[in-house]
Amino acid sequence: AFIQDKNYFTQQFILNAGLRFDNKNRANGNNVSALSPRVALIYFPNEKFSTKLSYSRAFVDAPYYTRHNTSNGARGSEDLMPEYMNAIQLDFMGKIKSWHLDYDVNIFYNHLTDIVVNNPSTDPSTPKYINSGSLKVAGAEAEIGFRIPSFRIDANMTYLRPLEAEGYYYNDHQIYSIPAFTTNLTCSKRLLNSGKHLLWLAAGLK
């Protein structure tokens, strides 16, 4: 079930709030339920710029594979609980029409709990996956796009910095196997525009 309301304090200030309820009956008879609130305060002075401050709580249930696998190398656990994330975001979006540019800058703080990780135990009879600890991360993501009718460029850069972790793969402000910086670039060129048919050629770089 999901309910949402949008309130215009003025034409420039908007409050958007919602609440979602999930209830799941697992095959083994266990019941899992969660409330996921979200609220955003939006400032929209004109079509060229807007900013948004938001909070949300979300969850994802542990996959069926990690709960019911019976092999010794990847034994699951039916008692695994969902993973949760509380997120706070500050978003700046806008357009520079004279340069054909769109931009979106997002600053975020995420607190993840009950993360499903590999069990460090070497006993093959114990579950391979467990809910363990928490992770707090902060970061920023910037997107910029250049668009004219026959050509497009989209670029993205993300910086991620873990602040604190418990029972998770983390050392010296870096999450194992996850780079602190990620970037990508996509270019698209329209080759054909014939009636209802369009042909684009795209190339990407990561």
Side-chain angles (χ1 to χ4, degrees):
F2 178 73
I3 186 172
Q4 180 174 328
D5 182 63
K6 182 181 291 186
N7 183 67
Y8 287 82
F9 295 111
T10 67
Q11 290 297 322
Q12 290 78 32
F13 282 98
I14 306 167
L15 178 67
N16 195 349
L19 181 65
R20 171 174 168 164
F21 174 72
D22 289 87
N23 187 72
K24 180 178 181 179
N25 291 312
R26 290 177 171 173
N28 62 0
N30 291 341
N31 180 271
V32 177
S33 61
L35 280 174
S36 304
R38 60 200 65 186
V39 60
L41 181 61
I42 305 165
Y43 176 56
F44 188 74
N46 52 60
E47 294 183 355
K48 295 181 180 180
F49 175 78
S50 65
T51 184
K52 176 174 66 175
L53 177 63
S54 63
Y55 163 79
S56 65
R57 175 176 169 83
F59 88 104
V60 59
D61 198 10
Y64 186 89
Y65 174 86
T66 57
R67 289 188 284 118
H68 293 281
N69 196 314
T70 57
S71 64
N72 287 334
R75 184 177 298 277
S77 171
E78 294 185 2
D79 297 326
L80 283 176
M81 298 303 294
E83 300 172 296
Y84 292 90
M85 182 177 74
N86 291 278
I88 299 173
Q89 301 185 49
L90 180 60
D91 215 9
F92 302 94
M93 297 162 286
K95 301 177 182 291
I96 306 176
K97 291 186 177 181
S98 59
W99 293 358
H100 307 284
L101 293 178
D102 298 332
Y103 65 87
D104 187 343
V105 178
N106 180 270
I107 302 170
F108 59 86
Y109 168 82
N110 298 334
H111 182 197
L112 301 93
T113 57
D114 294 322
I115 306 171
V116 175
V117 298
N118 289 331
N119 189 348
S121 174
T122 57
D123 184 353
S125 64
T126 60
K128 180 67 174 177
Y129 304 101
I130 57 175
N131 292 102
S132 176
S134 65
L135 175 66
K136 297 178 181 179
V137 297
E141 181 178 16
E143 298 181 6
I144 189 168
F146 172 81
R147 289 177 175 82
I148 57 177
S150 61
F151 185 68
R152 302 173 184 171
I153 299 177
D154 292 285
N156 172 282
M157 183 184 72
T158 302
Y159 172 69
L160 186 67
R161 180 181 176 87
L163 304 175
E164 183 180 329
E166 179 182 341
Y168 197 68
Y169 317 110
Y170 155 86
N171 183 50
D172 192 26
H173 296 292
Q174 186 166 349
I175 306 172
Y176 292 163
S177 302
I178 299 179
F181 281 99
T182 56
T183 60
N184 63 72
L185 176 69
T186 302
C187 298
S188 304
K189 171 63 177 176
R190 191 179 68 196
L191 303 180
L192 175 66
N193 183 5
S194 176
K196 297 181 179 180
H197 302 282
L198 296 173
L199 178 63
W200 287 80
L201 176 66
L205 177 66
K206 293 185 178 182

